[in-house]
Amino acid sequence: MKIKTAVTLSLFVFFTVMVAITAAYVALYHEQISETLKF
Amino acid sequence: MTYLSKYSGIAIITILAAVPGIIWAFQAATPNSFSSLGSAALSVGKLLGLSGMALFSLNFILAARLKFTEPLFRGLNRAYIVHHFVGGLALIFLLFHPMLLTLQYLTISLSAAGSFLLSTLTELDKFLGELALATLVLLLVLTFYVKLPYQFWKLTHKFMGLAYFLASLHVLLIPSDVSVIPLLRGYMQTLIATAYLCILYRTVFRQFTVPRFQYKVANVVQVNPQVVEITMSPIKQKMHYRSGQFVFVEFRARGVRWEDHPFSIVSEPAEPNLRITVKSVGDFTETLKLLQAGAPVFVEGPFGQFTFQSIGNPKQLWIAGGIGITPFLGMVRELEKERVPPATSVILYYVVNKPNEAVFLEELRAIAQKFSFFKLVPYFSEQQGRINGGIVEEGTRDLAERDILLCGPPPMMYALRRQLVSLGINNQKIHSEEFSLQES
């Protein structure tokens, strides 16, 4: 596998997983997040 | 050449990148480190973070053009190919590092994973890591997917130092195995310090630290509408080199960007002057036509092991595609002047689209007529079709006895190598000069 292909796949997996977790967390715990981010 | 000596540079990189993992395995790993999905994600995430950071550090050493990298990688051009691969691998490792740490928390609960992600925005040591990764992703995406002009591509690489600075602060500040295991801390600190020295040497204080020869432009000759030959004379010390090697040249002239670019040397070593032949392929090379005699030039090098002598076998077949003729020009000019070994036999296939693109063809023909050891085969693709391994095999009776040297457009070199290997030629006997930085 070429390194460019491996980088592309890794970026795809990384952003998919991180966006999915963040979206689910924000959807379910948005009140807790606003509390945490309140300075 | 033994397998070990051929791959010694890659072996050293692999070992140095694996050392943090080995230290971690002996000093931090416990029987529970891989006992559950969560602990395995945590352990692999840590290992990838350590090795990714080691690879990131080693890449600055590879890019510093230090003298010892040449023999380890059989030429600076190959060191740069490894540098490109290592950069990609470091990015992959560093992407999976936070992802696996997050997945470890996800095995506990979504709230735990989310809180961990949120903490990367609110806690400085974690935020530095996130910022470093974002910078690295941006810069490497530009490198891998966008065809930037040379000067912008070079600028993006300079900003790698910023990504590295943030990443190193993250490694050294965050409470982790690095902060509690002295051997691991010492190793990572050494790698980071070495990488910083390389950044200072190659980028920040380059004008003072990198040894360069001072030349001045002596003459600029327009060989054809697209190609110029630039002759430079030494101001103080003359650089010693072998024909076929290349140099990084920076012209200090009005109308020309003051940045160094790689060019093959086309003069032969005994000449008092240094000559390069440049084809216009971008903004920078186009401006070189404007150079005037007397313009100061800084020359760094020589680099490369693509020379007649380094191959060892005096029976060689050279295949040049277009401006890829340049390293062979110097080599044939050197063979013309030197006493060549008795068994020397060189066949040069000079591949161009049409006859008027074949620069220096008459000079090469004259040398071929004068010396029996040198045979020239001009090859015009528009008339004869695209060159391939079969055509070369058909035209070279003793092909198996020869070492084959390729220099030209990368697709042509890859195709010829593949075809020649499929015809039974030992891949070890095929040598290519893969030096194509961004078009400049």
Side-chain angles (χ1 to χ4, degrees), chain B residues 132-321:
Chain B
L133 189 60
T135 314
L136 185 63
V137 166
L138 177 70
L139 296 175
L140 283 185
V141 162
L142 288 173
T143 300
F144 276 96
Y145 304 102
V146 185
K147 201 166 174 56
L148 292 170
Y150 181 82
Q151 71 271 25
F152 292 120
W153 169 79
K154 215 167 173 185
L155 194 66
T156 62
H157 265 58
K158 282 186 178 167
F159 275 98
M160 287 290 177
L162 174 67
Y164 187 74
F165 174 67
L166 296 168
S168 61
L169 285 180
H170 169 73
V171 172
L172 298 174
L173 293 178
I174 200 161
S176 68
D177 294 329
V178 174
S179 59
V180 294
I181 302 170
L183 186 58
L184 190 56
R185 187 169 65 244
Y187 184 77
M188 294 309 288
Q189 282 173 341
T190 308
L191 270 186
I192 289 169
T194 312
Y196 273 128
L197 284 176
C198 288
I199 293 169
L200 293 175
Y201 167 79
R202 171 54 53 192
T203 308
V204 183
F205 299 119
R206 182 176 75 100
Q207 302 293 343
F208 312 104
T209 51
V210 175
R212 297 196 290 181
F213 293 89
Q214 288 183 41
Y215 278 72
K216 64 179 179 189
V217 173
N219 196 15
V220 180
V221 175
Q222 188 93 35
V223 180
N224 73 18
Q226 278 200 301
V227 177
V228 287
E229 184 176 73
I230 302 163
T231 305
M232 297 161 283
S233 55
I235 291 176
K236 292 176 188 165
Q237 195 191 348
K238 177 183 180 292
M239 185 183 71
H240 295 285
Y241 58 89
R242 301 299 321 202
S243 298
Q245 290 192 293
F246 64 90
V247 283
F248 283 85
V249 182
E250 180 181 339
F251 297 99
R252 292 287 179 91
R254 193 176 292 172
V256 178
R257 283 198 306 274
W258 292 11
E259 56 193 24
D260 61 346
H261 289 248
F263 297 105
S264 289
I265 303 167
V266 300
S267 46
E268 54 94 12
E271 280 182 41
N273 291 335
L274 185 69
R275 282 189 283 160
I276 57 172
T277 299
V278 185
K279 184 180 180 184
S280 295
V281 289
D283 293 348
F284 175 80
T285 41
E286 187 63 31
T287 59
L288 296 185
K289 292 173 185 168
L290 308 171
L291 281 172
Q292 300 283 323
V297 187
F298 288 94
V299 179
E300 183 189 356
F303 297 105
Q305 299 193 341
F306 192 76
T307 66
F308 176 81
Q309 295 82 1
S310 67
I311 303 301
N313 181 2
K315 292 187 84 170
Q316 298 180 12
L317 172 73
W318 300 346
I319 305 176

Side-chain angles (χ1 to χ4, degrees), chain B residues 310-342:
Chain B
S310 67
I311 303 301
N313 181 2
K315 292 187 84 170
Q316 298 180 12
L317 172 73
W318 300 346
I319 305 176
I323 199 65
I325 191 67
T326 49
F328 299 120
L329 271 177
M331 284 151 78
V332 80
R333 284 166 176 163
E334 184 178 359
L335 288 179
E336 186 197 6
K337 296 277 159 52
E338 276 198 356
R339 186 179 294 171
V340 296

Side-chain angles (χ1 to χ4, degrees), chain A residues 4 8 10 14 18 22 25 28, chain B residues 92 95 110 114 117 144-145:
Chain A
K4 189 175 172 181
T8 309
S10 304
F14 174 79
M18 296 307 241
T22 309
Y25 179 63
L28 292 173
Chain B
I92 293 169
L95 282 174
L110 177 62
L117 284 179
F144 276 96
Y145 304 102

